[in-house]
Structures are given as structure tokens and as C-alpha cells.
Amino acid sequence: MKVASYACYGGPEVVQVVEQPQPEPTDNEVLIQVVASTVSAGDWRARSLVMPPGFGVFARPVFGFSGPRQRVLGMDLAGRIAAVGKRVTEWQVGDEVVAHSGMRMGCHAQYVVLRGDAVIVRKPLSLSFEAATSLVFGAGTAWAFLLKAKVTPGERVAINGASGAVGSAAVQLAKHLGAHVTAVSSQVDCVRALGADRVVDYQREDFAVDKYDVILDCVGTAPWSRVKRSLNPGGRLLLVVGRFADLFLAPWISRTTGFKMVSEPTSPSRELLTTLAGLATEGVCVPLIDEVFALEAVAEAHRRVDSGHKRGNVVLAMTDELRTGSR
């Protein structure tokens, strides 16, 4: 089978398509034929070791000292069950599924083996494979943070970095929760089309001059020192990307200031993915797809993520059935 593999840290060019033996499931595992996966910001950081301020020292212990410990990236997939272990009863060959592999990664491959009780849910028939896989990282992260913030109808929510995978989902999900949403992005028309009540082009004005109940920072440019005066009493700062200093101080700030800082990511669960699939089916949260790249163009997919200008999700097509190109 073909996989996208990298043997050293660096730019997009270090990722190459190579052949590996197809894995075989054990009694408790399923074999999934991967149709689509995303190239996420997590893949970019693991490949490049570019980390938020203060986190650089942790990069090699996590991903590998002399080189990548896991050479096949990709934390999400949409595909079909190709084989099941004899002790697996929940899944059958041919089932269309969405899955999250977490830090074990490995989804940028034509076939993946996961435990039968892993984070795998049924793909709604109404969702394309590229849309389904795009729910996992972007919408999954956004929904987890918004739930932690307990966003209520009428609250003012600012989404910093609203055109990315997490931000574009957060705009739609915050609107679903009844919030008044300010989307911060230079991609003005794009985020306005997502349903934002107000759009702030950060190249022209500073969103932090106003007051909000919740600020969701998806890009790391809204640290506590910058936005603490932008929060209403009882306000919450949600750091999808943040400096180590802010994450370290988050518990103390939450206990002593009357504000709440949320910095701990939540790994998608079956329940969360099932909820998001339902919301996507209903049209509440439709994943924004920037571009679909063929597996052979995986370096170009990484280069698109590196650019910092993608809109929503960059999808990797692991089979020929997906049409590549802009969406």
C-alpha cells in the first residue's frame, strides 16, 4: 500500500509517498480503507517542529529525538471497513466510517488498523468523505472548547483565526449556540459567508478594542496580556493555540481573576463525533474545504498548510474516487 512518510523534520519536501506492507487486523481490530484524511496544523507542527512560544523544548521528546517516531502523519480519516477481527461485532465489511487515531497518527495511508472500540463512528450517507474527515480535527476541537466555555444564547463570542479549520467550524457552532459572533480574519468574504454577525479584518483593525464574553484564539495572537481587558466580567479565554506561559498560568488566572482560561485540548470521543456528524447532516456545521490534494501531491498539501492562508481544511485523497482541486 502507499503511505505519505517522512524520515526527518523539515519543510513540505520531506514528506514522500512510499510503499509499505498492508497491515492485518488482529482479533480485536478492524482494517479501514482510507478514502480521505486531512493535513492539519497538528501534522504541520509534527513535521516541522514549529511550536508556539515556549513549547519548542517539548517537541523532540514528544515526536522523536533523532527523527520522527511515527513517520506516517494524519490523525483523522473517512473510509470503509475492509476487514474485521473475529472478536469485533460492531463493524462489518463495507461500513462507511469516520475515525480519529489521535497521537498514534498513521492516517495518511491507504489502509489503517484500529481497535474495534477505538474512536470510530458511522459516516452519515449524506456527507462526502472529504467533509466527514474534516469534522474530526476542526469541528471536533472547536466544539470541545465551546462546550467547556458553556456558551449561552446572546453572549458575544470572538473567533480569532476564523477562516482556518477550527475557526471556520467555531463560527458556525457558536452561532448554533445562539451567540453573537465576531469573526477575526483577513478572509472577510469567506467568514461572512459562514454566518458571522461581524467580521474584523485584523490587517485593518484590532478586534480587542471591544468587549466579549468569550474569546477563542485559534492562531496564538490573542494571549492573556493582550485580551484580558477585552473580556466582560466572568469572561472566558479559550486558547486553541497559546504560549506556554499562558497555559502554565491558566489555572492560577482562573482561580484568582474572576475570568476563566481554558487551554487543555480535548481528544474527540465517539459521542462528540456522532454529535458533529448529526449537526453537519442538518446543515448546522458544514466543514469548509480549502482544497483536495491527491496522495501523490502530499508535499503540495503540506505546503498549502504551511502558507497560513488556507480556508478551512486541506484534504488528502487516498483513493482516486475523490475529485482533487478547490472546493
Side-chain angles (χ1 to χ4, degrees):
M1 69 171 183
K2 293 180 179 180
V3 304
S5 177
Y6 74 125
C8 61
Y9 303 116
E13 68 280 356
V14 303
V15 186
Q16 299 180 347
V17 178
V18 300
E19 290 282 345
Q20 285 187 2
Q22 181 175 309
E24 295 291 336
T26 64
D27 290 350
N28 296 313
E29 295 177 328
V30 296
L31 176 69
I32 304 174
Q33 180 190 24
V34 182
V35 176
S37 182
T38 67
V39 180
S40 69
D43 298 314
W44 161 56
R45 294 196 186 280
R47 188 210 74 228
S48 66
L49 293 190
V50 175
M51 300 290 158
F55 282 95
V57 68
F58 303 109
R60 288 185 183 270
V62 171
F63 296 110
F65 284 98
S66 59
R69 191 174 294 114
Q70 168 55 271
R71 295 190 175 190
V72 179
L73 298 171
M75 294 184 287
D76 57 65
L77 67 84
R80 299 183 182 91
I81 302 292
V84 297
K86 63 183 180 181
R87 295 182 183 175
V88 176
T89 59
E90 184 175 359
W91 305 108
Q92 296 182 352
V93 173
D95 286 345
E96 296 185 348
V97 297
V98 186
H100 174 64
S101 65
M103 287 303 294
R104 75 184 294 271
M105 298 185 178
C107 292
H108 292 170
Q110 291 182 316
Y111 289 89
V112 171
V113 162
L114 295 175
R115 286 183 56 88
D117 59 358
V119 183
I120 307 172
V121 302
R122 298 185 186 279
K123 182 186 80 66
L125 294 177
S126 61
L127 290 185
S128 67
F129 285 100
E130 54 265 50
T133 196
S134 297
L135 285 172
V136 182
F137 177 79
T141 301
W143 189 236
F145 272 93
L146 291 172
L147 290 180
K148 284 185 177 182
K150 299 180 180 179
V151 175
T152 58
E155 288 196 306
R156 300 183 66 85
V157 176
I159 312 294
N160 186 37
S163 59
V166 177
S168 60
V171 170
Q172 298 174 75
L173 291 168
K175 285 298 298 178
H176 171 65
L177 293 172
H180 178 282
V181 176
T182 295
V184 184
S185 172
S186 62
Q187 309 280 353
V188 174
D189 293 338
C190 170
V191 294
R192 182 175 288 121
L194 296 173
D197 298 286
R198 176 179 172 235
V199 179
V200 173
D201 183 346
Y202 64 84
Q203 296 176 325
R204 298 176 179 273
E205 56 181 315
D206 181 8
F207 83 95
V209 299
D210 294 319
K211 291 280 190 177
Y212 308 94
D213 300 294
V214 177
I215 297 174
L216 177 67
D217 184 14
C218 303
V219 291
T221 59
W224 171 251
S225 59
R226 178 188 175 194
V227 302
K228 59 185 177 182
R229 293 180 180 82
S230 304
L231 288 168
N232 289 323
R236 289 86 81 201
L237 174 59
L238 314 178
L239 297 177
V240 177
V241 179
R243 304 173 182 179
F244 177 76
D246 276 349
L247 272 63
F248 180 77
L249 291 173
W252 180 82
I253 291 171
S254 296
R255 287 196 303 267
T256 62
T257 65
F259 301 104
K260 182 178 182 181
M261 186 184 296
V262 177
S263 58
E264 306 88 357
T266 298
S267 183
S269 63
R270 280 192 175 193
E271 181 182 9
L272 184 145
L273 287 187
T274 300
T275 298
L276 289 173
L279 292 175
T281 301
E282 296 168 8
V284 170
C285 180
V286 179
L288 182 62
I289 309 274
D290 179 88
E291 194 166 352
V292 180
F293 290 85
L295 174 59
E296 289 72 20
V298 62
E300 290 302 314
H302 276 265
R303 192 164 287 113
R304 179 60 178 163
V305 175
D306 281 20
S307 73
H309 298 297
K310 68 180 180 70
R311 299 182 178 188
N313 299 270
V314 168
V315 175
L316 199 59
M318 306 304 298
T319 71
D320 294 334
E321 65 186 274
L322 295 189
R323 180 177 63 85
T324 58
S326 299
R327 294 286 171 138

